[in-house]
Amino acid sequence: MTTTPGNELLFLALGGSGEIGMNVNLYGCQGKWLMVDLGLTFADPAYPGIDLILPDLEFIEKQAENLLGIVLTHGHEDHIGAIPYLAADLGVPLYATKFTAGLIRGKLDEEGLGNKVKLKIIEREGRFQLGPFGVRFVPLAHSIPEGNGLLIDTPYGKVFHTGDWKLDPTPLVGTPSTPAQLAAIGDEGVLALVCDSTNVFNEEASGSEADVRAGLNEVVAAAKGRVLVTTFASNAARVQTLGEVARDSGRTVCVAGRSLDKIIKVARASGYLTDFPDFVDFDAAMRLPPSEVLIIATGGQGEARAALSRIAFDSHQIKLSSGDTVVFSSKQIPGNEIAIGRIQNALAAKNVVMITDRQAHVHVSGHPGRPELKQMYEWIRPQVLLPVHGETRHLAEHARYGVSLGIPKAFVQENGTVVRLAPKGPKAIGRERVGRLILDGDVILPADGSTMGERRRIAAHGLIAVSVAIDAKRKLRGQPGITIQGIPVEEDREDFIAEARDAAAEAVGDGARDEAKLKEQIRLAVRRRATSWTGKKPIVDVSLIQV
């Protein structure tokens, strides 16, 4: 039964709880829903041929008439990336601050949806009312301009939804709320703190972006040849830092990566990066003396089509050689180790010097460590802590930590858990279906559907296509055709095909008159022969041709 909120305040995560990424959160009150963020995540090898994974919004699609709007906390892909694929079907306005709205507008325009989705720009610290929900944007430091928490006021209490955040006393981009402003929110009385759990195991604070500048300056000053720094394109604060490092070191900037170009363009249009140095194109960068260029590139997570990968494997106009330096100014995301290692091995073969956050202070996280969480608790003083944005282990530890520091109640939920926050909460009152969708080319499909299942089986076992010509009496005409893909026979390929052809012919000779039974006989006969040869059970696809 689909949950409809009554005279109560509900919370339901459709993504981002029990995982890091794909954040989609719903608040329910008096028959209406408010969505916070609509993100995606990136596929791993378990999804062959897939780059992007989207949340399954079936729950809210079924009651879209009760959805009032989508509020976006900031512009990272795990918070806005699914908008161009899913928002139009929901048919509600989007609410975001100027920089985030600029990123969203670009995505919608690329998909031809610029006139089909309403996008409303909210001023910094702006507020508005949607049905029973009063929403106020609360600026917080993060690794992208205009990170915002949301103070959501309802008839049943206030919720402070942090989004992604950290404490940074010297931010390079944007102006976060002051301690006094955050303490004032706590003074208003906060029912629930819905809070980022990413770095709950970190005993130290994440640190300031200004500190990274000193570390990068030291690394770049020591470098002899070209320097390439790779970071997340969306980390505009780091891009700003790198512009300043280039000036400090007397190097000319070159930007490599389409997403970097987009971020810089939107940031400048929104009043950020206004003093970022002019940068040169690839050809000009290669003509400069190596010691006079600093390249900012995408691809630090091993993405095959990103600039760094293409540079490492010599398929880019920018070339690196012995003595050049590559700085990985980002944290290695779990699951990307193999892809990153592949690029680093290619760079090592060129005798390129590599620096990561293990060798130098070249990165700080955009998420709060334990000291920052403790400080936020002291300012906000919630009655309830609801951890989000983390795997189960992060959420559970965050709940324990909050209670240990005096928060009266904490509740560990996961995607699909309907939580009543008030009255008489927190309490799980139901379970709704959640899931994943895949973007396969231009088509959105279930992540656990037949297409992905077939693709995994083919990838694991290989494919044999059998075509058999038969007459009206089910007698064989000519030889069966056999095509194989991914079958481990190598130099014995022709011998195997000959035996598979014989197996198919023998199966026809067994004389099944029903077409479906005949196809199954052929399939099993060919697969048995393949298993005898290889020990594997490949997919066998049989086509009967009437002649």
Side-chain angles (χ1 to χ4, degrees):
M1 181 176 177
T2 300
T3 302
T4 300
N7 294 322
E8 59 192 344
L9 175 57
L10 304 182
F11 175 87
L12 169 61
L14 301 183
S17 289
E19 62 188 344
I20 294 179
M22 206 169 73
N23 297 280
V24 186
N25 300 292
L26 290 171
Y27 290 94
C29 185
Q30 296 178 343
K32 300 299 181 182
W33 292 99
L34 176 74
M35 182 180 289
V36 174
D37 292 331
L38 182 50
L40 53 70
T41 192
F42 297 97
D44 58 37
Y47 297 91
I50 303 301
D51 292 326
L52 304 179
I53 297 177
L54 311 173
D56 189 337
L57 303 183
E58 179 185 12
F59 166 80
I60 195 63
E61 287 172 346
K62 286 182 177 179
Q63 47 180 320
E65 69 278 4
N66 295 326
L67 180 64
L68 300 175
I70 305 172
V71 185
L72 293 314
T73 59
H74 66 284
H76 277 145
E77 288 296 296
D78 60 333
H79 292 258
I80 68 168
I83 286 173
Y85 310 108
L86 302 177
D89 290 340
L90 294 174
V92 296
L94 313 180
Y95 299 83
T97 52
K98 185 176 181 180
F99 175 79
T100 305
L103 296 177
I104 293 169
R105 175 60 64 199
K107 292 177 176 294
L108 293 173
D109 288 344
E110 284 183 2
E111 297 297 321
L113 297 172
N115 296 321
K116 296 181 181 179
V117 177
K118 292 182 181 179
L119 179 57
K120 299 191 175 183
I121 298 176
I122 305 300
E123 295 302 316
R124 183 179 182 273
E125 300 183 66
R127 60 183 74 198
F128 56 96
Q129 190 77 28
L130 285 177
F133 303 100
V135 181
R136 182 182 8 154
F137 281 87
V138 180
L140 295 175
H142 190 40
S143 57
I144 191 171
E146 298 180 8
N148 290 286
L150 303 174
L151 185 61
I152 303 172
D153 195 358
T154 78
Y156 304 94
K158 291 182 172 70
V159 176
F160 188 51
H161 184 110
T162 68
D164 293 0
W165 67 281
K166 63 182 287 187
L167 298 181
D168 191 339
T170 52
L172 294 186
V173 174
T175 305
S177 299
T178 65
Q181 289 171 321
L182 293 171
I185 290 174
D187 292 341
E188 296 178 24
V190 174
L191 169 67
L193 174 64
V194 179
C195 190
D196 179 355
S197 307
T198 312
N199 282 349
V200 69
F201 291 105
N202 292 9
E203 294 291 346
E204 297 182 357
S206 294
S208 173
E209 186 65 31
D211 297 334
V212 177
R213 179 177 177 181
L216 285 166
N217 267 331
E218 185 176 340
V219 168
V220 174
K224 304 301 181 186
R226 291 186 181 89
V227 175
L228 182 151
V229 183
T230 180
T231 190
F232 293 110
S234 60
N235 192 342
R238 190 64 41 78
V239 174
Q240 174 71 30
T241 298
L242 291 169
E244 295 175 355
V245 168
R247 282 200 193 93
D248 294 343
S249 60
R251 289 175 179 258
T252 299
V253 173
C254 175
V255 173
R258 183 166 167 259
S259 53
L260 269 169
D261 290 331
K262 287 182 181 178
I263 286 287
I264 293 171
K265 180 180 179 181
V266 174
R268 284 175 164 170
S270 303
Y272 305 100
L273 302 185
T274 54
D275 61 345
F276 188 77
D278 293 334
F279 44 92
V280 299
D281 62 23
F282 306 147
D283 290 336
M286 292 306 297
R287 290 195 298 268
L288 287 168
S291 62
E292 295 180 11
V293 63
L294 189 150
I295 303 155
I296 307 173
T298 56
Q301 298 302 315
E303 303 97 315
R305 293 194 292 270
L308 180 59
S309 178
R310 292 165 54 210
I311 291 168
F313 292 99
D314 294 322
S315 60
H316 197 282
Q317 291 163 271
I318 291 175
K319 308 296 179 185
L320 296 179
S321 56
S322 178
D324 291 341
T325 299
V326 172
V327 181
F328 289 81
S329 185
S330 58
K331 182 180 178 181
Q332 181 172 283
I333 295 175
N336 291 344
E337 295 87 351
I338 293 175
I340 295 171
R342 175 174 166 268
I343 288 174
Q344 290 180 341
N345 285 331
L347 294 170
K350 300 177 184 294
N351 200 29
V352 169
V353 178
M354 283 172 280
I355 305 291
T356 72
D357 60 349
R358 295 182 179 181
Q359 287 84 43
H361 189 47
V362 296
H363 176 64
V364 289
S365 175
H367 301 271
R370 290 169 92 93
E372 292 152 290
L373 291 170
K374 180 176 183 292
Q375 184 64 76
M376 185 64 79
Y377 304 158
E378 293 173 355
W379 288 327
I380 302 301
R381 305 182 297 282
Q383 298 174 42
V384 176
L385 171 64
L386 195 70
V388 293
H389 203 291
E391 298 172 4
T392 303
R393 59 195 174 97
H394 298 91
L395 306 184
E397 178 62 21
H398 193 175
R400 283 192 291 267
Y401 186 60
V403 170
S404 75
L405 292 176
I407 296 179
K409 297 178 182 178
F411 192 88
V412 179
Q413 49 80 49
E414 62 180 6
N415 293 339
T417 303
V418 183
V419 182
R420 179 191 289 131
L421 294 174
K424 298 180 181 180
K427 179 182 179 181
I429 63 167
R431 179 84 192 163
E432 294 294 344
R433 180 186 174 278
V434 292
R436 293 179 157 203
L437 305 173
I438 55 173
L439 182 64
D440 195 3
D442 295 328
V443 181
I444 296 175
L445 299 169
D448 58 355
S450 59
T451 297
M452 190 50 52
E454 290 168 0
R455 192 171 298 171
R456 290 188 184 115
R457 289 196 298 273
I458 293 170
H461 303 290
L463 172 69
I464 303 175
V466 183
S467 57
V468 178
I470 56 173
D471 61 20
K473 296 182 179 180
R474 300 287 196 269
K475 297 296 183 181
L476 181 67
R477 288 290 179 261
Q479 286 190 325
I482 303 289
T483 302
I484 66 174
Q485 295 185 55
I487 308 299
V489 290
E490 299 295 328
E491 65 269 12
D492 298 323
R493 185 182 185 91
E494 295 306 320
D495 292 339
F496 169 75
I497 288 175
E499 285 202 23
R501 185 180 294 122
D502 291 344
E506 291 169 8
V508 175
D510 287 345
R513 300 278 70 87
D514 179 82
E515 182 173 317
K517 289 182 179 179
L518 179 56
K519 289 178 70 173
E520 182 65 5
Q521 282 182 190
I522 296 169
R523 188 187 73 82
L524 291 174
V526 172
R527 195 175 75 165
R528 281 193 294 267
R529 196 62 57 94
T531 302
S532 174
W533 269 70
T534 67
K536 298 181 74 69
K537 295 181 178 180
I539 308 301
V540 179
D541 183 58
V542 179
S543 298
L544 293 180
I545 304 169
Q546 295 279 356
V547 295

